[in-house]
Amino acid sequence: MMLPGFPDAQPLQGALGGVLIGLAAALMLLGSGRIAGVSGIVARGTRIASGDMSMTSAWGFLVGLPLGALLAALTVDREPASFASWPVLVAAGLLVGFGTRMGSGCTSGHGVCGVSRLSQRSILATASFIAAGIVTVFIQSRIGG
Amino acid sequence: MSLARKLLPPLVSGTLFGAGLTVSGMTDPARVRGFLDVFGAWDPTLVFVMGAAVLVMAVAWRIRQRMGTPAFAERFSLPDRNDLDVRLISGSILFGIGWGIAGLCPGPAVASLALSPLSVLPFVLAMLAGMAVQQFVSLMPRRRQTVQE
């Protein structure tokens, strides 16, 4: 399906993927009684942060992520993704790692789980990182990205 | 049984999550940056991803209200803070800058370890380093934290 005015948009694939992500977060909540926040689970699984989530549960989720990506990539046709050069990736990775821990969450924990719960903290966090991302991409496009 | 109860729901959840990220195209940094490029060639796909995920989760929160305990665990372990502080906002802004620079956030980065392992590895390693640095820094200045809290 095409979205008038936005030739690159993939609304149907987006919504279908979003439903899968929602079901994933719902299973985590109703099954394990937890938030499916990827940054928190990564920090827990690597023992960077302490917490009461078991290593078994954290690694179950962390192994599932690439496994699901692989299964989906075998099913749907996707162009190969293009990544930035490694110095850019390292700078961005440091900011993402530091920022998600400092702000207690990322797009999954705050953006999906928190916003759907109408958590004020998560709505503010989500608005902050989307705004910062928009400004960053704008500045990058101005300095010739 | 206990191992299965601990392992299986997160494993299935992670698998659904990784599949959802791939199906929606969110494992492609260019598509994520297209969403953030509101003053350029804006790509609204992420609105549909986030919208659908939030709608499904809103129903799950309703169901949760009627559940005493989760299906495969003894109790719910959910964040209960509702205060707004500087850490939350500044951390989220730093994350947003990194997200904008590379078009990657933690979920798609870990999922991409299966799709483009070598391309995404520098990001994942740097992300772990950033997390460790933040953990170290947050434990250091005890005095300032006590004043803030």
Side-chain angles (χ1 to χ4, degrees):
Chain A
M1 195 186 93
M2 294 264 291
L3 204 63
F6 302 102
D8 293 333
Q10 297 190 329
L12 277 184
Q13 290 92 326
L16 176 63
V19 167
L20 291 175
I21 293 168
L23 289 175
L27 173 62
M28 198 69 158
L29 173 67
L30 304 177
S32 301
R34 294 183 174 281
I35 296 289
V38 180
S39 54
I41 299 176
V42 167
R44 180 71 191 118
T46 51
R47 294 189 191 271
I48 288 171
S50 55
D52 63 348
M53 185 182 207
S54 71
M55 283 291 138
T56 313
S57 297
W59 280 100
F61 186 84
L62 292 176
V63 167
L65 267 179
L67 180 69
L70 195 66
L71 292 174
L74 296 173
T75 323
V76 292
D77 194 28
R78 282 251 162 246
E79 286 174 33
S82 61
F83 292 83
S85 63
W86 73 261
V88 174
L89 287 177
V90 167
L94 286 170
L95 284 164
V96 167
F98 191 95
T100 51
R101 291 309 297 157
M102 188 183 190
S104 317
C106 54
T107 23
S108 50
H110 281 312
V112 174
C113 298
V115 167
S116 61
R117 193 190 187 185
L118 299 179
S119 151
Q120 281 186 43
R121 277 174 66 82
S122 291
I123 291 170
L124 182 63
T126 305
S128 304
F129 61 66
I130 289 180
I134 287 172
V135 171
T136 303
V137 169
F138 178 73
I139 293 173
Q140 273 179 304
S141 70
R142 278 303 173 91
I143 59 175
Chain B
M1 184 58 197
S2 173
L3 179 73
R5 278 164 62 96
K6 270 186 191 164
L7 178 69
L8 283 181
L11 179 66
V12 175
S13 170
T15 306
L16 283 171
F17 210 116
L21 288 169
T22 306
V23 168
S24 59
M26 294 302 116
T27 42
D28 186 351
R31 192 165 284 281
V32 173
R33 281 171 46 82
F35 162 74
L36 295 171
D37 194 12
V38 287
F39 302 110
W42 191 49
D43 177 353
T45 305
L46 195 142
V47 177
F48 291 86
V49 183
M50 200 82 119
V54 164
L55 281 179
V56 173
M57 257 317 260
V59 175
W61 284 113
R62 283 297 187 85
I63 299 173
R64 179 253 178 276
Q65 288 180 334
R66 294 160 185 270
M67 288 172 81
T69 54
F72 309 108
E74 281 74 41
R75 59 192 168 80
F76 284 97
S77 325
L78 300 169
D80 52 4
R81 287 178 64 176
N82 216 353
D83 57 312
L84 308 175
D85 60 351
V86 180
R87 274 176 57 95
L88 177 82
I89 302 170
S90 25
S92 298
I93 288 174
L94 290 176
F95 160 47
I97 296 172
W99 189 38
I101 292 177
L104 281 167
C105 54
V110 175
S112 294
L113 286 172
L115 307 176
S116 339
L118 289 179
S119 311
V120 84
L121 198 61
F123 180 90
V124 173
L125 293 178
M127 179 176 83
L128 293 176
M131 287 180 168
V133 170
Q134 198 282 325
Q135 191 72 16
F136 182 73
V137 171
S138 73
L139 292 176
M140 243 181 2
R142 273 272 163 240
R143 259 185 316 143
R144 216 174 57 200
Q145 256 191 348
T146 3
V147 173
Q148 268 179 3
E149 282 164 9

